[in-house]
Amino acid sequence: MTTNKAEKALTAKQRRFVDEYLVDFNATQAAIRAQYAERSARSIGSENLTKPEIQAEINRRLDSIMPKAEILGRLAQQARGTMQDFFFIGMEERTIEKRRIQISVDDKGRQGQEVILEETEEKAMRPAVYLSLVKAQNLGKMHLIKKYSLGPKGESIELYNAQDALTTLGKYHAMWVDRAEVTGEDGGPIEISEIVVKKSHERPPALDDD
């Protein structure tokens, strides 16, 4: 098994940290599981993530799992996802059955036996709308389905949230950042007070011995 340069530069404990960090992306827990001191795990975890050699190994491992271009491509597909790719909407040939029947009625108006006199079928084009997973598969869109269910009313699907994908892509391209506005009381400006501490050079009074 070959070892890359970035991994060679790491200590055994740092390699363990990278292994554990890729489990849940929690630097503190990764440091604890890598046998760093628990009391300093938070600071060590944060510090490790700033080290170029550790960052390089994390990025290399992530890229081997799914390259950055593929991740962005998947997010873009989710953002562009539309139900139109999963439904047939149009005209479809349907078979219409027609029957000519005779119903007997007695002298008291009670309905008797129903007799079929003639049965015919004819083809006609009719509007149709229905879920079509075959269409989605042919278009290569099945991976956009987050949830599929089959119930008494038929099939239903849920796609990955397009708005969430757009937000993630926007953050990646630094189109916006999360900001918090801090104000004073009732939305007013924050008051800043200057506190001046004067250092006294006077000697404190002597304490009585008794």
Side-chain angles (χ1 to χ4, degrees), residues 6-204:
E7 191 174 8
K8 282 182 179 179
L10 303 181
T11 66
K13 189 172 284 190
Q14 287 173 334
R15 284 196 295 272
R16 176 71 186 279
F17 172 81
V18 172
D19 293 339
E20 297 296 341
Y21 179 72
L22 292 174
V23 171
D24 54 12
F25 297 97
N26 185 315
T28 301
Q29 293 302 315
I32 293 173
R33 295 193 296 264
Q35 305 301 312
Y36 287 95
E38 188 169 346
R39 65 180 181 276
S40 56
R42 183 174 181 180
S43 60
I44 291 175
S46 298
E47 182 183 352
N48 275 350
L49 292 180
T50 65
K51 294 180 178 179
E53 62 275 14
I54 292 181
Q55 271 293 346
E57 179 59 15
I58 290 173
N59 291 335
R60 186 193 70 80
R61 298 268 199 96
L62 289 174
D63 197 57
S64 66
I65 297 170
M66 181 177 286
K68 186 184 297 183
E70 185 178 352
I71 294 173
L72 293 175
R74 289 266 182 156
L75 284 170
Q77 290 176 8
Q78 291 176 14
R80 296 190 181 103
T82 170
M83 283 295 185
Q84 187 175 354
D85 295 330
F86 297 85
F87 278 84
F88 175 85
I89 304 173
M91 302 296 290
E92 192 172 62
E93 187 178 70
R94 298 291 178 89
T95 300
I96 302 173
E97 295 183 353
K98 292 185 177 181
R99 290 181 179 180
R100 190 163 65 90
I101 62 175
Q102 182 181 30
I103 302 174
S104 60
V105 180
D106 62 17
D107 55 357
K108 293 183 179 181
R110 291 176 296 191
Q111 182 175 318
Q113 187 175 3
E114 183 180 290
V115 179
I116 299 175
L117 301 178
E118 183 183 10
E119 282 186 308
T120 59
E121 290 184 355
E122 64 179 42
K123 305 278 186 188
M125 299 300 292
R126 292 287 186 271
V129 179
Y130 56 85
L131 177 65
S132 175
L133 296 181
V134 173
K135 176 183 178 181
Q137 186 175 23
N138 291 337
L139 293 173
K141 303 289 186 178
M142 293 293 286
H143 63 283
L144 299 181
I145 298 177
K146 180 181 180 181
K147 182 180 179 182
Y148 169 86
S149 59
L150 179 62
K153 294 183 179 181
E155 296 175 301
S156 65
I157 60 170
E158 177 187 352
L159 303 185
Y160 285 99
N161 192 299
Q163 191 65 43
D164 289 347
L166 285 170
T167 300
T168 303
L169 286 169
K171 288 180 178 178
Y172 174 79
H173 292 294
M175 295 174 65
W176 51 75
V177 294
D178 294 328
R179 294 177 179 172
E181 183 178 356
V182 181
T183 61
E185 186 177 359
D186 298 326
I190 299 176
E191 296 183 3
I192 300 176
S193 300
E194 182 180 359
I195 301 175
V196 179
V197 178
K198 293 184 177 180
K199 190 174 182 180
S200 176
H201 296 284
E202 296 179 0
R203 295 181 63 185

